[in-house]
Amino acid sequence: MPEGDCTKRRARLGQAVTEAEIEALVRGICFKTGPPAVTGVELEWLLHTPDAPRTPVSSARVEAARTALRTKPLHSTVTVEPGGQLELSSLPAASLMECVSAVSADLAVVRDTLRSLDLTLTGLGADPWRAPARILHEPRYDAMESWFDRTGEAGRRMMCSTASVQICLDAGYEEPGPLGYARRWRLAHLLGPVLVAAFANSPLQDGRRTGWRSTRQAVWAGIDPGRSGAPALDEEPRAAWTRHALDAPVMCVRTDPADEAPWLVPDGLSFRSWARSGAPRPPTRADLDYHLTTLFPPVRPRGHLELRMVDAQPGEDGWIVPLAVTSALFDDAGAAETAYRTVKPLAERAGATPPPHSPLWLDAARHGLADAELHEAAAACFAAALEALPRLGADSHVLSVVAAHTERYVARGRCPADDLLDAAPPDGADGAGAHGDGTHEAGARTDGTPLFGKDAHR
């Protein structure tokens, strides 16, 4: 290639960065400290036809829905995941109630728009009906699927068949204390299995029981720890995350858009070794930024903390509960101290293996709040959250949905997955479902609310 063309290509891809520059960049952006003041949430939903949740929605219908939603005056950003899941990402809000109000208004518009297209949203952590099938064909997802397929089906299921409630909170103060960033980082990982257990909502896959209350969490645990695992939690957080990010495997190397060539999918190349070798080309700041988006630990530091361990929740307002509870336990100093004292003893049981692969996290995903120790911790944490929420300005509706979840599930050692299991056929009852494949589209939760039918979420 002529030298002039090489120079133009480097300019399009960006300026190369050294290993030392990369370390400084990651350290500088992973925890942005200051008083906790901003809240956000990202909601993923399964998208399907109301009367036929087992039928895949075509890419054309998904694109029509996305196009229609782009014409609406929404506060949230609407995107589509590789398997057709719909995601709403809120703007950073100055308070819990500002976030709840803005997202609730957006969801009302989204549901009305989808209803006119004969589509609906369902809050489940994993698709219980349909096999994973990718409908977005873009270089990023082509490369991601190729990388994940090297180690089994977990990555493809994660991409195409899972949905979550992701809670975004400020990193906290630089100084130590209940609201300090180091304490909040540790609290997030110790509280994580309690949140997994309390909000587990994905016990079915391919129409049958999986043996997990949160199959979604089991899928994440099935992904390479270098990509889905947390860094070492007994080290200073900035140093630990920087080392983890640089030593994590590179999922793909983007090619020049002008070439229209597939992205490269290296094998066994860490970002650190890429920076040192400069092959297949020197990495740039844009490559680093992209690499960080391909790391999926249960708590991701993006300046703020992104908590990624909660299954998508049932009902129109189910998502409010994990957002409100987690916000209270992090942003109210009294509740944060109570939560930390409550979950700190869980560290011994968690062991040295980083989440989500540790025994404690796996027990939370498998058993939910049927695990006695997690049940006890959840009861204490939900009580602290309910006490703190009025101090954060929560209105009567938020308090009522949190109290209802506490009474219906936490107080009884149950989680939303248990409702689904109550309606599912027993183990070994192959073909007992309403459709002859073990699924119960007309089933009901224990309070009579339809699970999958046309009126399930109205």
Side-chain angles (χ1 to χ4, degrees), residues 169 178-179 184 187 191 194-195 324-340 380-386 388-389 392:
L169 302 169
L179 301 184
R184 286 162 74 88
L187 173 61
L191 182 65
V194 178
L195 299 177
V325 168
T326 308
S327 297
L329 296 179
F330 275 78
D331 290 350
D332 180 87
E337 188 63 29
T338 297
Y340 186 72
C381 287
F382 272 69
L386 277 167
L389 280 169
L392 295 181

Side-chain angles (χ1 to χ4, degrees), residues 69-70 72-78 88 91 105-107 109-110:
L69 290 171
R70 283 175 176 167
K72 306 299 179 182
L74 301 175
H75 296 90
S76 305
T77 301
V78 178
L88 271 72
L91 293 172
D106 285 347
L107 276 171
V109 173
V110 168

Side-chain angles (χ1 to χ4, degrees), residues 96-146:
L96 168 65
M97 283 311 306
E98 181 180 306
C99 183
V100 169
S101 297
V103 176
S104 295
D106 285 347
L107 276 171
V109 173
V110 168
R111 289 191 176 100
D112 285 345
T113 303
L114 294 177
R115 190 175 294 118
S116 69
L117 300 172
D118 195 30
L119 293 169
T120 192
L121 302 175
T122 291
L124 287 166
D127 194 323
W129 315 291
R130 300 170 292 193
R134 186 160 60 94
I135 67 167
L136 294 186
H137 295 279
E138 302 170 2
R140 169 184 170 91
Y141 297 124
D142 292 345
M144 185 178 291
E145 185 175 86
S146 178

Side-chain angles (χ1 to χ4, degrees), residues 17-286:
V17 288
T18 67
E19 181 181 355
E21 290 171 331
I22 291 165
E23 287 188 343
L25 285 167
V26 176
R27 281 178 178 270
I29 64 178
C30 57
F31 295 96
K32 299 288 188 180
T33 53
V38 176
T39 303
V41 70
E42 299 175 20
L43 305 178
E44 296 171 341
W45 304 85
L46 302 183
L47 182 67
H48 59 88
T49 303
D51 290 329
R54 296 185 306 131
T55 302
V57 178
S58 69
S59 58
R61 293 188 69 193
V62 173
E63 182 56 34
R66 180 163 57 176
T67 300
L69 290 171
R70 283 175 176 167
T71 67
K72 306 299 179 182
L74 301 175
H75 296 90
S76 305
T77 301
V78 178
T79 54
V80 175
E81 293 295 297
Q85 312 96 306
L86 201 70
E87 179 175 340
L88 271 72
S89 301
S90 76
L91 293 172
S95 68
L96 168 65
M97 283 311 306
E98 181 180 306
C99 183
V100 169
S101 297
V103 176
S104 295
D106 285 347
L107 276 171
V109 173
V110 168
R111 289 191 176 100
D112 285 345
T113 303
L114 294 177
R115 190 175 294 118
S116 69
L117 300 172
D118 195 30
L119 293 169
T120 192
L121 302 175
T122 291
L124 287 166
D127 194 323
W129 315 291
R130 300 170 292 193
R134 186 160 60 94
I135 67 167
L136 294 186
H137 295 279
E138 302 170 2
R140 169 184 170 91
Y141 297 124
D142 292 345
M144 185 178 291
E145 185 175 86
S146 178
W147 194 94
F148 278 128
D149 282 352
R150 291 172 176 169
T151 55
E153 69 167 13
R156 189 174 291 218
R157 284 196 179 272
M158 177 276 288
M159 292 172 61
C160 301
S161 301
T162 63
S164 68
V165 175
Q166 297 178 17
I167 300 143
C168 300
L169 302 169
D170 281 329
Y173 289 102
E174 190 71 25
E175 299 78 14
L179 301 184
Y181 83 95
R183 170 72 73 84
R184 286 162 74 88
W185 175 248
R186 184 159 178 78
L187 173 61
H189 290 91
L190 291 175
L191 182 65
V194 178
L195 299 177
V196 169
F199 297 109
N201 187 38
S202 51
L204 306 175
Q205 180 177 283
D206 300 329
R208 292 175 173 79
R209 298 165 181 256
T210 64
W212 300 83
R213 290 325 198 269
S214 177
T215 300
R216 173 185 171 273
Q217 193 63 36
V219 166
W220 282 102
I223 295 172
D224 172 37
R227 190 161 307 285
S228 64
L233 300 178
D234 56 353
E235 300 178 17
E236 195 282 322
R238 286 192 179 97
W241 177 252
T242 300
R243 184 182 306 107
H244 180 77
L246 266 67
D247 291 339
V250 173
M251 177 175 282
C252 51
V253 176
R254 297 173 302 162
T255 55
D256 191 318
D259 293 342
E260 298 183 354
W263 292 4
L264 305 178
V265 184
D267 189 8
L269 179 70
S270 71
F271 205 91
R272 188 187 304 279
S273 60
W274 184 13
R276 290 177 177 176
S277 70
R281 60 167 177 78
T284 67
R285 169 63 189 270

